[in-house]
Amino acid sequence: MNWIEAYIEEVVKHVPANRRETLAESLRQDIETKLSADPTEVEVKRVLEEMGHPAVVAAHFKEGQYLIGPGMFPMYVSVVKLVVPIVMAVVFFGLVIASIPTFSGPILPTVGTFLANVFDTLWDVGIQLVFWITLIFFLVERYAPQGTKTPVMKWDVNTLRERERGFRISKWDAGFALFWTAVWFGVYVNAERLIGIYESTGEGFAMVTPVFNQAFLFDVIWLFLLVVLLQVVLGVWKWIKGRWSYALASYNLIYNAASATFIIWMASSSQLLDARFVNWMEANVPNGVFSFNWVFGLVVAITILAAVFDSIDGFRKARKAPTYHKHHIAHT
């Protein structure tokens, strides 16, 4: 790969579009002056590491007055991107879980009111978080002792290859997986109230019958919690690791096997569906149009295929991930 162009691309994406071409040319010339006439890959990588973290380099090329200086701005952005989504996700989960027991009335107006309240709360929380994080960095920038206020940002030139080949795990992917874990947990423990057959009435939609037998779901909740725990560990591991490895892919395989086994076992149980739902189906759906055996076969096929493909994809990404030893470049 072209390490120089990859590095330049990583730097210029942090500056306004109208300055990227000028900055790219300036960086290219600066890098070339530090290289020999016929540089080796090792020499190129050494120079790029000495140049520093792309976000820090880009911050020094930004114009205007700074509320937070170039030295700390990349770390400020990283903290905002890390803290704000996590806190807002926790607040969202809390609002959902707190609202489920009080859910009543026509479904569409109730959901609309809930979403409006959630938006107002998340907006307020987001504004408050950004304000306090900004204030903390501003105070550190202005009043911290000289030599202690500039954070050290980890930088290894080999991460350019990981970005290029696409086997890094983004914080968004890991966070989204944890988000859905919380959502499905909330749905599982409230399945009788949320998942059912709804009919339109004069006052909105009303549930006619729940689909799942909540008593059975609670009887086997310890198995569900085991799968949830495996998924939480997987999501946290992805968040911390940030890239695929054989160890992570192996754990992903174990999780997929466990979750697929649980789903198939649940789908095969005669106690899964609520008796009222079964009676409703027999009374309202013509014979031959709907078959529980057909639905069970579809669930099994989709579950197995999803588990197999996700497991294979994990090992594929782990196999292509570069294995390298980190090294430190002495600065003079």
Side-chain angles (χ1 to χ4, degrees):
M1 64 176 288
N2 190 325
W3 292 98
I4 297 177
E5 294 305 318
Y7 180 82
I8 293 174
E9 181 180 350
E10 190 66 22
V11 173
V12 299
K13 77 177 186 180
H14 296 284
V15 300
N18 61 347
R19 302 197 65 239
R20 290 177 181 175
E21 185 175 350
T22 302
L23 174 56
E25 184 59 30
S26 175
L27 279 173
R28 193 174 292 109
Q29 293 178 2
D30 189 19
I31 294 171
E32 289 176 354
T33 58
K34 298 179 181 180
L35 295 172
S36 61
D38 188 19
T40 64
E41 181 176 318
V42 173
E43 182 183 356
V44 171
K45 292 168 71 173
R46 176 184 60 79
V47 169
L48 295 180
E49 287 211 3
E50 290 178 343
M51 293 286 294
H53 195 289
V56 176
V57 174
H60 286 283
F61 282 87
K62 294 181 180 178
E63 298 176 340
Q65 297 295 320
Y66 299 108
L67 178 64
I68 299 172
M72 297 195 70
F73 186 75
M75 182 61 72
Y76 163 76
V77 173
S78 298
V79 171
V80 170
K81 289 182 177 180
L82 176 65
V83 174
V84 173
I86 293 177
V87 174
M88 295 186 71
V90 171
V91 172
F92 176 79
F93 299 151
L95 292 173
V96 171
I97 295 174
S99 300
I100 286 175
T102 60
F103 185 88
S104 61
I107 186 169
L108 292 183
T110 303
V111 171
T113 301
F114 168 74
L115 292 178
N117 293 335
V118 167
F119 176 81
D120 289 341
T121 302
L122 292 180
W123 176 263
D124 291 340
V125 170
I127 294 296
Q128 289 287 333
L129 283 173
V130 173
F131 170 78
W132 287 109
I133 293 173
T134 304
L135 178 61
I136 291 172
F137 273 84
F138 172 79
L139 294 175
V140 171
E141 176 78 18
R142 296 300 187 276
Y143 302 111
Q146 190 67 27
T148 64
K149 64 183 180 181
T150 302
V152 178
M153 297 194 68
K154 296 173 61 178
W155 163 239
D156 190 306
V157 69
N158 291 283
T159 59
L160 294 173
R161 174 178 287 162
E162 295 182 19
R163 292 186 180 95
E164 181 183 75
R165 295 186 178 178
F167 41 74
R168 287 175 59 87
I169 302 172
S170 69
K171 291 293 190 291
W172 167 257
D173 291 339
F176 191 73
L178 292 172
F179 167 80
W180 278 112
T181 301
V183 170
W184 285 119
F185 176 80
V187 171
Y188 185 95
V189 298
N190 293 277
E192 190 176 35
R193 297 173 55 85
L194 300 177
I195 305 177
I197 301 298
Y198 288 85
E199 289 185 352
S200 178
T201 65
E203 299 180 351
F205 287 93
M207 181 183 289
V208 176
T209 174
V211 172
F212 298 108
N213 179 3
Q214 190 70 66
F216 171 71
L217 296 182
F218 280 133
D219 287 340
V220 299
I221 194 171
W222 64 275
L223 290 173
F224 176 73
L225 290 176
L226 178 61
V227 175
V228 167
L229 177 61
L230 292 173
Q231 189 171 20
V232 169
V233 172
L234 179 64
V236 173
W237 193 349
K238 286 181 176 180
W239 183 286
I240 296 174
K241 184 71 174 179
R243 64 193 294 268
W244 283 94
S245 65
Y246 280 110
L248 179 57
S250 299
Y251 183 86
N252 185 56
L253 172 62
I254 294 173
Y255 161 72
N256 281 326
S259 61
T261 301
F262 175 75
I263 292 173
I264 294 172
W265 176 77
M266 290 280 288
S268 66
S269 175
S270 60
Q271 303 179 60
L272 177 63
L273 300 178
D274 193 287
R276 292 167 292 179
F277 172 70
V278 176
N279 294 334
W280 187 91
M281 292 295 295
E282 292 175 350
N284 292 275
V285 179
N287 292 333
V289 175
F290 184 86
S291 170
F292 287 109
N293 291 332
W294 179 82
V295 173
F296 171 73
L298 182 63
V299 169
V300 171
I302 293 176
T303 301
I304 293 177
L305 287 174
V308 169
F309 282 122
D310 185 69
S311 299
I312 292 175
D313 188 56
F315 281 103
R316 179 184 63 83
K317 292 177 179 178
R319 180 176 59 84
K320 292 184 177 180
T323 56
Y324 55 85
H325 299 285
K326 292 185 178 181
H327 55 281
H328 301 279
I329 304 300
H331 295 269
T332 58

